[in-house]
Amino acid sequence: MTTTAPETLRGEVTIRDLSKTFNINGRALNVLKGVNLHIRGGECLAIVGASGSGKTTLLRVLAGLEEADEGRVLIDGEPVHGVGTERAVIFQEPRLLPWRTVIENVAFPLEVRGLSRDEARQRARHHVQLVGLADFVEAYPSQLSGGMAQRVGIARALAIQPEILLLDEPLGALDAMTKLTMQEELSRIWREEKVTMIIVTHDLEEAIYLADRVLVLPKDKGGRIREIEVDLPRPRNRSEGGFVKLREELLGEFGLH
């Protein structure tokens, strides 16, 4: 009798016994210690924690921008070695090329990968429309608001058709109203694109609004990583009882009530 191996979902991430230490002024600083985690393909995971808990370091290891000292990261069952086209990173600052228009910025990574200018622009146009900037394809970064510039960064990341979208405080520099709008946009894009989305944020309400699951990293490296399931219907209502209860639970994790 033959058995069939279970199917691995696109964008599935497995972290095994991951540790990372930095040497600062001759002292070893444990940033991550013995992290084990499984992220389902297509899941939206938010990572929160106090400053120094290792949130951004974990994201950078997943992106291949940092190398772990111990442990492994697997994507779709394969070990990660450095950066790869199956992952795209969005930072707090969109880092657009000021001399290129919106569509040229989005097309740029496609041209780098060998697509012709026309092919790259055609694919880029689709993603510019996806993020709601169809009327600004020929605008330059200096002509955009902060929220619009971040939309361009998201479109550029999605244009390479990644399996996994890694976001490091992507909305942290935006004003409150723009931030709420962009949270709705990120939620919509995630549903439409069906990518695995891993977002680092300091905003606990943002984590609950976007994520299927919230990962709370402890400040104490010997502490336990806490996982909180967000079993709420989408689109989410911030004033609904279940949302408020989860927000209180997360605040309790940080001793805030």
Side-chain angles (χ1 to χ4, degrees):
M1 178 179 177
T2 59
T3 58
T4 303
E7 182 181 357
T8 300
L9 295 175
R10 179 177 181 265
E12 184 179 71
V13 181
T14 303
I15 300 171
R16 294 178 180 165
D17 299 319
L18 192 74
S19 295
K20 177 67 177 177
T21 300
F22 290 113
N23 193 308
I24 300 178
N25 295 327
R27 292 181 56 198
L29 178 65
N30 292 324
V31 181
L32 299 169
K33 186 176 180 180
V35 176
N36 287 281
L37 180 66
H38 180 257
I39 303 167
R40 302 181 295 271
E43 180 180 11
C44 180
L45 177 79
I47 303 174
V48 301
S51 295
S53 61
K55 303 183 300 297
T56 293
T57 300
L58 178 56
L59 197 80
R60 288 178 63 83
V61 170
L62 292 175
L65 300 172
E66 294 276 359
E67 188 173 343
D69 298 324
E70 297 178 14
R72 295 203 300 167
V73 175
L74 306 174
I75 293 178
D76 297 335
E78 296 296 323
V80 167
H81 299 292
V83 298
T85 56
E86 77 282 356
R87 287 157 286 154
V89 186
I90 298 172
F91 299 99
Q92 186 175 98
E93 298 296 333
R95 304 180 184 182
L96 304 180
L97 301 174
W99 60 89
R100 296 182 70 119
T101 63
V102 165
I103 196 164
E104 289 170 346
N105 265 284
V106 177
F108 180 69
L110 301 173
E111 293 171 7
V112 170
R113 284 167 172 75
L115 269 67
S116 70
R117 181 177 181 275
D118 287 344
E119 287 176 311
R121 285 178 70 96
Q122 184 177 1
R123 190 189 294 182
R125 189 174 298 275
H126 164 74
H127 287 92
V128 170
Q129 291 171 344
L130 177 72
V131 298
L133 292 177
D135 294 335
F136 294 88
V137 290
E138 299 301 336
Y140 286 90
S142 62
Q143 299 170 311
L144 304 177
S145 68
M148 292 166 71
Q150 193 60 292
R151 287 174 190 244
V152 179
I154 293 168
R156 182 178 56 190
L158 291 171
I160 64 171
Q161 298 179 318
E163 296 180 15
I164 301 164
L165 202 57
L166 301 162
L167 304 99
D168 188 11
E169 290 281 346
L171 312 182
L174 304 179
D175 64 81
M177 291 305 297
T178 304
K179 194 175 192 180
L180 292 177
T181 300
M182 286 300 297
Q183 287 170 3
E184 292 178 7
E185 283 295 293
L186 274 178
S187 183
R188 176 185 62 82
I189 291 166
W190 169 73
R191 292 196 304 270
E192 291 185 15
E193 294 293 290
K194 297 179 174 61
V195 296
T196 303
M197 192 160 81
I198 304 169
I199 179 168
V200 164
T201 179
H202 280 98
D203 187 329
L204 302 183
E205 189 169 287
E206 179 173 279
I208 299 168
Y209 187 82
L210 291 173
D212 297 309
R213 188 165 44 127
V214 179
L215 195 73
V216 183
L217 297 188
K219 184 71 178 285
D220 174 12
K221 299 312 167 190
R224 181 175 64 90
I225 293 177
R226 180 100 154 83
E227 296 181 27
I228 298 175
E229 294 285 341
V230 186
D231 187 17
L232 298 174
R234 298 176 188 272
R236 290 180 174 157
N237 182 343
R238 300 169 198 269
S239 60
E240 184 265 331
F243 194 104
V244 173
K245 183 179 178 181
L246 278 175
R247 185 174 59 206
E248 290 298 309
E249 184 178 349
L250 265 181
L251 285 169
E253 291 289 326
F254 297 94
L256 303 170
H257 279 292

